[in-house]
Amino acid sequence: MLTQEQESLVNAAFRPHIPIDDPSDFSGRENERERVRDALAVPGLHLVVYGERGCGKTSLAYVSTNGVERVKVFCEQNSDFNQLMRTAALQIQKSDPERLVFDAQRNTLRVAGTALSLGNMTGNDLLFIIPDNKPLCIILDELDRVRDTDAISAVAELVKNAATNKPLLTLVMVGVAATAGAVLRGHASNHRAIRELQLDRMQEDELDGILRHGEKVLEPLGLKFSEEATSEILRLCDRMPYYLHLMANNAAKAALKVGSPIVETEDLVRGCIAAASDADQQLREIYELAIRSSNGSRLHQRVIWGMANLTAKNNNIAEVVEEAAKIAIGRPLGAPSRKAVGSALRGLILPSRAQILTRAGHGNYTFTSPLMKGFIRLIRQGQ
């Protein structure tokens, strides 16, 4: 059982489930942080931060805007534009309650003698309550989750309007997508007021920096990671900061529970078991549906495990056949044929196998969720 101090320090060192806000707790992404700060300094310029889930987009947005006047708006699936504007307006009001008077009974916001209805807050209303001479940043986090296409179109119009009429306002729009245009449903290419910032997976030196920073936080406990455990974490995390934080957090706790001052590979194994159960439940459900076997061959599991071994994002049949042959599970234990692996791959893109894979061009396949490879590696390490 961990003490309160141990639990608190480990959770401060490695945070897989909450974004980082304090720049002193953040490692890496120097170029990306500089690009965000540059955008904040340019009047009329706005920013779209996009990339795969688990790459640290929200943390980057928070850390890079720390120290400036800002409001954070979390976008829910069922949000409409009015709800987004209302949330932003109320947060602005909290920082300036004398100028902006909130009337909960009437659901209005009064400013300069004008009462604005919060039940029908428009983009123009939001710009009206923002001072002309004071910089402000509004972060729209997980904007890609919003299903209402009219809301996304209205956000794009707000960007255009703000660039002209409120040049000291910066909108930072964050979303899971392959392009900035996908976050704004194609509207990003329509105007020049947007800077696009793609966040890729982290480099190994940046990931190692996260571990080294975590060790500094854990200095009061005298806990460090062995070279072997460090190498394994860097290999298994699939260059995703989310998985590095998740594994390091659980491995550190596993070491502390047995009184070890060094996180060794056996602590990592125990930590991975806990980390796999702590990961996204949807990933587990997809994985379990994809690997089910009625004849004991476990071919689909071998194919999936083989793909998880590979470092490239997209894999061809020959590569998967070679990796699957190394995995001794199911019956028969011999190397599966190219035909069998090809059939399994085609099956794994179907709804009946939860579409765990997606075609990536002729003869190539990739995991549909960018988090799936890391999740499978956690499971295998724990076993």
Side-chain angles (χ1 to χ4, degrees), residues 18-67:
I18 58 173
I20 297 171
D21 199 328
D22 188 340
S24 66
D25 292 330
F26 191 86
S27 299
R29 305 289 197 195
E30 293 295 341
N31 292 336
E32 291 86 349
R33 280 193 271 178
E34 188 64 29
R35 291 196 67 197
V36 176
R37 289 191 290 263
D38 285 347
L40 293 173
V42 178
L45 185 61
H46 304 273
L47 190 70
V48 177
V49 181
Y50 66 97
E52 296 177 311
R53 191 175 303 280
C55 283
K57 297 177 298 299
T58 300
S59 290
L60 177 77
Y62 285 4
V63 166
S64 303
T65 59
N66 189 289

Side-chain angles (χ1 to χ4, degrees), residues 27 46 51 98 120 154 224 262 278 282 309 331 353 365-366 378:
S27 299
H46 304 273
E98 293 185 2
N120 189 30
K224 291 187 175 294
I262 304 293
D278 198 24
Q282 186 178 20
N309 283 349
R331 299 189 306 270
R353 297 264 175 195
Y365 296 84
T366 188
L378 282 181

Side-chain angles (χ1 to χ4, degrees), residues 291-313:
I291 67 169
R292 76 192 191 288
S293 174
S294 58
N295 59 10
S297 72
R298 299 174 70 178
L299 175 61
H300 292 90
Q301 186 173 1
R302 293 178 75 177
V303 168
I304 290 171
W305 282 13
M307 283 192 63
N309 283 349
L310 296 165
T311 57
K313 182 178 180 181

Side-chain angles (χ1 to χ4, degrees), residues 214-288:
E215 285 184 330
K216 290 181 181 178
V217 176
L218 296 172
E219 279 181 356
L221 303 179
L223 188 67
K224 291 187 175 294
F225 289 78
S226 71
E227 290 186 12
E228 294 79 7
T230 296
S231 296
E232 273 297 275
I233 290 173
L234 295 177
R235 182 183 69 84
L236 292 168
C237 73
D238 199 28
R239 295 172 54 204
M240 290 282 199
Y242 165 72
Y243 277 123
L244 184 138
H245 278 273
L246 186 63
M247 284 189 286
N249 181 292
N250 284 280
K253 290 177 179 177
L256 289 170
K257 286 177 182 178
V258 296
S260 173
I262 304 293
V263 179
E264 303 285 4
T265 52
E266 54 265 32
D267 302 309
L268 178 58
V269 170
R270 293 196 303 275
C272 282
I273 295 172
S277 63
D278 198 24
D280 191 333
Q281 179 61 27
Q282 186 178 20
L283 291 175
R284 178 175 294 279
E285 292 172 356
I286 291 171
Y287 170 74
E288 291 180 349

Side-chain angles (χ1 to χ4, degrees), residues 307-329:
M307 283 192 63
N309 283 349
L310 296 165
T311 57
K313 182 178 180 181
N314 302 330
N315 310 120
N316 60 44
I317 295 177
E319 293 170 330
V320 180
V321 169
E322 183 177 350
E323 288 300 319
K326 302 174 185 177
I327 299 168
I329 58 172

